[in-house]
Amino acid sequence: MLFTAHRFWSPADLTDSTTVKAPHAVLSPLIGQEVEHVYVTHNQQVKEGDLIYTLKDVDTDAQIRGLEAQRSAAEAEILALHHQIKNDERQLDRLTRLDDYAQEQDRDDLRTRIDANFAKIASANAQIQSIEAQISTAKWQNERRDIRAHLMVKSQLLTLQKERESVICTYIIQTRSL
């Protein structure tokens, strides 16, 4: 019990001589993550930005490659649909020039197919946007594998100093009201 209380209260002393007594941090990855490589030794001092450890790759590279392949397939589908629309528009133009010698149903079928292909292009573009968002997320997750040191000592000291001033002000106010 004493050890537990000591661990929670050791970093700060809120007396008149506020100092940081334990300028160290215990680091560990989240549940389900594994450390791939550690770049520091026990009790080594680090500066802000120093690489501390990297996490194992959780198949994000393979995921990114798969998503890029899906994006390429969707782009190829859009290209094929544009060619199909161009051919259908030429055929529709021919049938329109034939006027009474072509069936109206053939012209209607071509118009419908052209409109359906435009809808497929819009759907493929939306699919590409979704894939690009997934690629961005996977790249962001991949960048988070490197764990670096952050400078928090200054902000912790300022917080402790503000807390100390607050305690002193409260003490003075309570003393004057007595």
Side-chain angles (χ1 to χ4, degrees):
M1 180 68 175
L2 180 60
F3 174 74
T4 304
H6 172 70
R7 287 288 288 158
F8 287 118
W9 297 107
S10 66
D13 176 18
L14 296 177
T15 63
D16 202 15
S17 61
T18 303
T19 59
V20 176
K21 288 188 172 184
H24 66 277
V26 177
L27 302 174
S28 63
L30 295 172
I31 296 173
Q33 295 179 326
E34 295 181 40
V35 174
E36 182 175 31
H37 191 273
V38 178
Y39 296 95
V40 295
T41 58
H42 184 67
N43 285 334
Q44 176 183 339
Q45 290 187 357
V46 293
K47 298 180 300 246
E48 182 177 11
D50 286 353
L51 185 60
I52 299 174
Y53 63 89
T54 56
L55 298 172
K56 281 190 177 179
D57 183 9
V58 288
D59 300 329
T60 53
D61 290 332
Q63 181 184 11
I64 290 171
R65 285 193 304 275
L67 290 168
E68 287 173 345
Q70 288 178 12
R71 180 177 58 194
S72 295
E75 289 169 348
E77 180 183 356
I78 289 172
L79 184 63
L81 288 169
H82 277 295
H83 288 301
Q84 182 66 45
I85 288 172
K86 186 189 268 186
N87 288 338
D88 288 345
E89 286 174 340
R90 279 195 302 242
Q91 181 67 14
L92 179 62
D93 185 49
R94 280 188 218 118
L95 292 177
T96 303
R97 281 186 278 138
L98 288 175
D99 195 29
D100 290 337
Y101 298 105
Q103 292 183 0
E104 186 68 31
Q105 181 181 0
D106 291 339
R107 290 186 289 239
D108 290 341
D109 289 345
L110 282 172
R111 286 185 193 105
T112 302
R113 192 161 62 188
I114 290 170
D115 290 342
N117 284 338
F118 276 121
K120 288 178 183 178
I121 288 173
S123 173
N125 280 324
Q127 183 181 11
I128 287 172
Q129 287 179 343
S130 172
I131 291 169
E132 287 174 348
Q134 292 174 25
I135 289 172
S136 176
T137 300
K139 286 181 178 179
W140 176 76
Q141 287 176 341
N142 204 23
E143 290 170 359
R144 294 185 58 206
R145 291 179 47 226
D146 293 342
I147 308 302
R148 299 190 176 274
H150 295 284
L151 187 60
M152 298 181 69
V153 175
K154 287 182 182 177
S155 64
Q156 288 174 347
L157 286 174
L158 289 174
T159 302
L160 291 172
Q161 184 177 3
K162 287 179 183 177
E163 288 176 4
R164 182 178 151 240
E165 290 171 359
S166 173
V167 169
I168 291 171
C169 290
T170 305
Y171 176 75
I172 292 171
I173 291 169
Q174 288 177 350
T175 308
R176 287 186 181 164
S177 65
L178 294 176

